[in-house]
Amino acid sequence: MESKLLAPVQLGALSLNNRVVMAPLTRCRASNPETAPTPLMACYYAQRASAGLIISEGTIVSPQGRGYPYTPGIWSDAQVAGWRLVTDAVHQAGGLIVCQLWHCGRLSLPAFHGGELPVAPSAINPEWRMFSGEGLQPTVTPRALTREEIAGIVADFQRAARHSVAAGFDGIEIHSSNGYLFHQFFARCSNTRTDEYGGSHENRGRLLFETLDAVAQELPLDRVGIRLNPMMNGMHGMTVDEDTVPLFEALIDRVNAYRLGYVHLTEPFLPNQLDGAVGALTDVAGHFRSRCQAPLLANGGFDQTQAEAWLAEERCDAVAFGRPFIANPDLPERFRRGAPLNAADPETFYQGGEQGYVDYPALA
């Protein structure tokens, strides 16, 4: 049977050679003072350019958005120049790459902000432990954003979109999932505001749509994706409740009017992830597929067989692979040949340097 996974697909303005998408993967290799991408990072991404599309690691839109050490930014000229090394290398290798734009919100530590508190929709501690470069550290109660500061964050994302274009990216993805800032606005467990950014579904989604309106001034929206993780429960301080599915239905309904390049949905795939969750979905794509008019990118611990099955059933249009791409720079070719996969080494995911980064072997 002919492989759908290796067949071309159109995601908005992006013409993919195959449906094997490289998921955004934080690797903590931007260890210079400017937290700018490096030639080593350009090598890493170029090795993986046979992906139908590469979604970059989460890229911080401003110093305020930082939540982890050694993660790259895109607010400075040095960072733009570093990302240009990456995009040139990927394009020279025949690939496509979009920049995932990120603000961590309350998932951060005062150490990353000169001792100041991280920011969030509301002053609610996620009660999580954050990777700090010196072991795991407990989160603190963040400071609630003012309206003026929220407008500044929208402007930061607009600048990041403009810089992404200047850096040569083929598009952007708004990281609006996984318990980070946009998701914090969506969820009742992290947003108790009583102004126009809290309460109703419309209000809790307001920041996302203000951001989409702003980035639309910098690039066409058919080169923009968003990432959503509706069933994140018990991780990063997030919980699923009876309002979660209706909230995400309202978001998708409104997103349809923007005619985005794609919507990137994460499935529940961790053990016991939905324990205690009220109104949870075990099949996220299945629930939202008919509702979502944009091309759908599925993410959730897929192997090749499951990905082929979902594509054959038209449950999604492409599939994002994370850890398999860490250890297999030539993942689409391995799928084509039915070749075994290298195993990833978690000990080297965030340690910096070449080991476990650019030294995984490709097929002969």
Side-chain angles (χ1 to χ4, degrees):
M1 188 173 70
E2 188 172 339
S3 169
K4 286 202 74 171
L5 191 55
L6 300 177
V9 70
Q10 195 74 23
L11 301 185
L14 303 175
S15 300
L16 281 59
N17 291 329
N18 60 65
R19 302 169 192 238
V20 184
V21 173
M22 180 175 163
L25 296 160
T26 293
R27 303 303 309 276
C28 297
R29 256 63 177 190
S31 55
N32 51 66
E34 297 84 11
T35 60
T38 65
L40 181 65
M41 291 170 63
C43 174
Y44 165 78
Y45 282 108
Q47 287 178 342
R48 290 152 180 80
S50 63
L53 176 67
I54 294 172
I55 305 172
S56 83
E57 62 205 276
T59 301
I60 306 298
V61 298
S62 71
Q64 182 200 67
R66 181 169 301 284
Y68 301 87
Y70 314 128
T71 49
I74 197 163
W75 66 83
S76 74
D77 291 344
Q79 292 162 349
V80 172
W83 277 120
R84 173 59 81 168
L85 293 176
V86 173
T87 61
D88 283 351
V90 169
H91 292 150
Q92 287 165 12
L96 293 173
I97 182 169
V98 299
C99 190
Q100 190 193 60
L101 303 182
W102 195 21
H103 190 303
C104 294
R106 68 181 188 168
L107 285 171
S108 187
L109 298 167
F112 299 136
H113 306 287
E116 298 293 321
L117 293 175
V119 298
S122 302
I124 301 171
N125 190 333
E127 304 291 349
W128 195 247
R129 292 173 70 81
M130 298 295 294
F131 175 63
S132 68
E134 299 178 357
L136 296 175
Q137 303 291 330
T139 54
V140 299
T141 300
R143 176 176 63 77
L145 289 158
T146 66
R147 287 186 181 89
E148 293 74 21
E149 288 174 316
I150 293 171
I153 288 170
V154 173
D156 290 338
F157 274 87
Q158 182 173 348
R159 177 185 62 199
R162 182 166 64 251
H163 284 181
S164 297
V165 174
F169 282 100
D170 299 293
I172 62 171
E173 178 178 289
I174 306 296
H175 194 355
S176 42
S177 71
N178 291 16
Y180 297 113
L181 185 68
F182 290 92
H183 200 172
Q184 292 161 28
F185 272 90
F186 299 158
R188 294 193 300 192
C189 66
S190 46
N191 182 353
T192 56
R193 298 178 74 97
T194 57
D195 63 4
E196 65 269 37
Y197 292 95
S200 69
H201 293 162
E202 179 182 6
N203 284 357
R204 282 182 278 142
R206 188 177 304 278
L207 175 61
L208 175 62
F209 294 103
E210 289 181 342
T211 300
L212 288 175
D213 289 337
V215 302
Q217 298 178 50
E218 307 298 337
L219 77 171
L221 286 173
D222 60 3
R223 292 184 176 272
V224 175
I226 61 169
R227 186 174 185 189
L228 301 174
N229 188 351
M231 292 297 108
M232 187 164 215
N233 183 63
M235 184 178 179
H236 285 179
M238 305 309 289
T239 56
V240 171
D241 62 28
E242 67 279 2
D243 182 63
T244 300
V245 172
L247 177 278
F248 281 94
E249 289 174 343
L251 290 178
I252 292 289
D253 288 347
R254 193 165 169 202
V255 160
N256 286 334
Y258 284 77
R259 304 181 69 83
L260 297 181
Y262 65 86
V263 171
H264 182 177
L265 288 179
T266 302
E267 297 293 323
F269 66 97
L270 298 173
N272 309 315
Q273 181 175 337
L274 298 179
D275 286 1
V278 178
L281 301 172
T282 56
D283 179 0
V284 173
H287 184 85
F288 289 104
R289 177 64 163 171
S290 61
R291 197 173 204 113
C292 181
Q293 295 172 12
L296 203 59
L297 175 56
N299 187 324
F302 288 85
D303 61 19
Q304 181 179 3
T305 301
Q306 185 184 14
E308 290 282 16
W310 275 45
L311 290 167
E313 296 165 7
E314 299 186 346
R315 295 160 66 86
C316 59
D317 298 289
V319 177
F321 294 87
R323 289 192 179 204
F325 255 121
I326 290 177
N328 299 276
D330 53 352
L331 187 64
E333 181 62 14
R334 288 176 185 266
F335 285 163
R336 189 181 72 80
R337 296 194 203 179
L341 301 186
N342 300 322
D345 175 15
E347 295 296 318
T348 59
F349 283 178
Y350 312 115
Q351 73 170 18
E354 296 184 10
Q355 184 184 2
Y357 192 57
V358 295
D359 58 353
Y360 285 105
L363 292 167

